[in-house]
Amino acid sequence: MKLTHEASGTFAIAPTPFFDDGRIDYDSIDRLTDFYAEVGCNGVTVLGILGEAPKLEGNESIDVATRFIKRAKDKQIIVGVSAPGFAQMRTLARASMDAGAAAVMIAPPTHLRTDEQITGYFRQASEAIGSDVPWVLQDYPLTLTVVMTPSVIRKIVMDNPSCVMLKHEDWPGLEKISALRGFQKDGSLRPLSILVGNGGLFLDFEMERGVDGAMTGYAFPDLLVDVVNLSKAGKRDAAHDLFDAHLPLIRYEQQPGVGLAVRKYVLKKRGKIASDAQRKPGSSMSVLARSEVDYLLSRVGRIDKRANIS
């Protein structure tokens, strides 16, 4: 069930669960995958930035991706395949698709600067993985330091028919979304699914700008599902009210360097992973930081009972 430009809804970005000693926790992968399906996610993206992909060996990456794919059954799995070289990218992409993945996701390497370098890189990446592999273009300049204008994104998409989705997480990025949808209206950009990340910080207004859904790793994917569905149903105030209740925790998660630790801590409290450990090198939370997250959860819990976790 390959990904197409019609993809929409909520794709959770999954962390890679580890035991305290750094071994991969495959049972927690199963629990996470089941959880994402239970709360209504349309798919899951694995081995992204949140998935600590650079810390995995090549065979481990294939094993993790395959475990998610096999457990997900009818849910679409997108596998992050970004790598320093195209040989690694191709190996993981082909192995993932052979296992039943819906698509792969490619982020630009941080050294790209000019428009020509950016468009040339993605043309070569698309050729490397094969024209039969649908892929997602990740646009995350805050972390990757590569700035792609709407016109550059349009050229990448038009030059590479197998690019079916944009993962948009620029900030500020609302006008970029409007520009891309404008290109589609004037016929200069073919149909393209746009899902948004960046921790969900601007999901409320991004939905109103015309995106198709969310793809991020907030520890309450059920909240993302609800906001997407409420927005699509035209229930603007209800979507904003629920989103606003979670916004302080979403903001706290977005702190550079600590966000993954917060997400894993909350997912552990929710019983979805056995340990909040990261594979080294990784960040950790102080006792005070944990108490702050617990306080935020209690405040969210006044509006959304799903946050009432001990």
Side-chain angles (χ1 to χ4, degrees), residues 200-211:
L201 268 177
F202 302 98
L203 178 60
D204 50 351
F205 286 109
E206 287 168 333
M207 289 300 301
E208 296 178 11
R209 292 291 185 122
V211 304

Side-chain angles (χ1 to χ4, degrees), residues 35-262:
F35 169 58
Y36 293 140
E38 289 164 5
V39 301
C41 290
N42 301 85
V44 183
T45 301
V46 305
L47 300 182
I49 294 173
L50 178 65
E52 300 178 71
K55 302 176 187 177
L56 300 178
E57 296 179 3
N59 63 315
E60 289 181 320
S61 296
I62 294 173
D63 289 346
V64 167
T66 300
R67 186 73 171 224
F68 274 107
I69 292 165
K70 299 305 182 185
R71 188 74 179 189
K73 297 178 183 177
D74 63 332
K75 299 296 181 181
Q76 293 186 306
I77 301 295
I78 298 171
V79 180
V81 297
S82 303
F86 289 140
Q88 296 165 273
M89 182 184 295
R90 179 171 53 249
T91 297
L92 181 54
R94 303 305 302 190
S96 298
M97 296 304 295
D98 287 346
V104 302
M105 183 168 69
I106 305 174
T110 58
H111 67 270
L112 302 180
R113 286 295 175 265
T114 69
D115 293 351
E116 290 75 15
Q117 288 173 337
I118 296 168
T119 56
Y121 175 82
F122 283 106
R123 182 175 60 254
Q124 293 177 55
S126 184
E127 292 171 352
I129 63 175
S131 60
D132 59 325
V133 177
W135 57 277
V136 179
L137 170 64
Q138 185 174 14
D139 179 23
Y140 196 8
L142 279 76
T143 293
L144 301 173
T145 73
V146 177
V147 177
M148 291 186 272
T149 65
S151 295
V152 166
I153 291 172
R154 175 174 58 182
K155 180 168 178 53
I156 294 169
V157 173
M158 297 303 287
D159 285 351
N160 301 281
S162 52
C163 179
V164 297
M165 176 185 288
L166 170 69
K167 185 189 179 188
H168 166 87
E169 36 195 347
D170 201 351
W171 177 11
L174 294 175
E175 298 302 331
K176 178 182 281 188
I177 294 168
S178 293
L180 291 169
R181 291 309 194 202
F183 289 157
Q184 291 179 312
K185 289 180 180 178
D186 68 25
S188 63
L189 176 63
R190 61 180 173 79
L192 177 73
S193 173
I194 301 178
L195 300 189
V196 292
N198 207 15
L201 268 177
F202 302 98
L203 178 60
D204 50 351
F205 286 109
E206 287 168 333
M207 289 300 301
E208 296 178 11
R209 292 291 185 122
V211 304
D212 297 292
M215 184 195 290
T216 193
Y218 181 49
F220 285 86
D222 23 5
L223 173 276
L224 303 174
V225 170
D226 288 347
V227 171
V228 168
N229 290 342
L230 287 168
S231 296
K232 288 187 175 183
K235 299 179 180 179
R236 187 183 196 191
D237 287 346
H240 280 269
D241 288 344
L242 183 57
F243 177 83
D244 290 349
H246 282 258
L247 187 54
L249 182 57
I250 292 173
R251 180 193 63 181
Y252 198 95
E253 272 194 2
Q254 281 300 99
Q255 296 178 90
V258 74
L260 177 56
V262 175

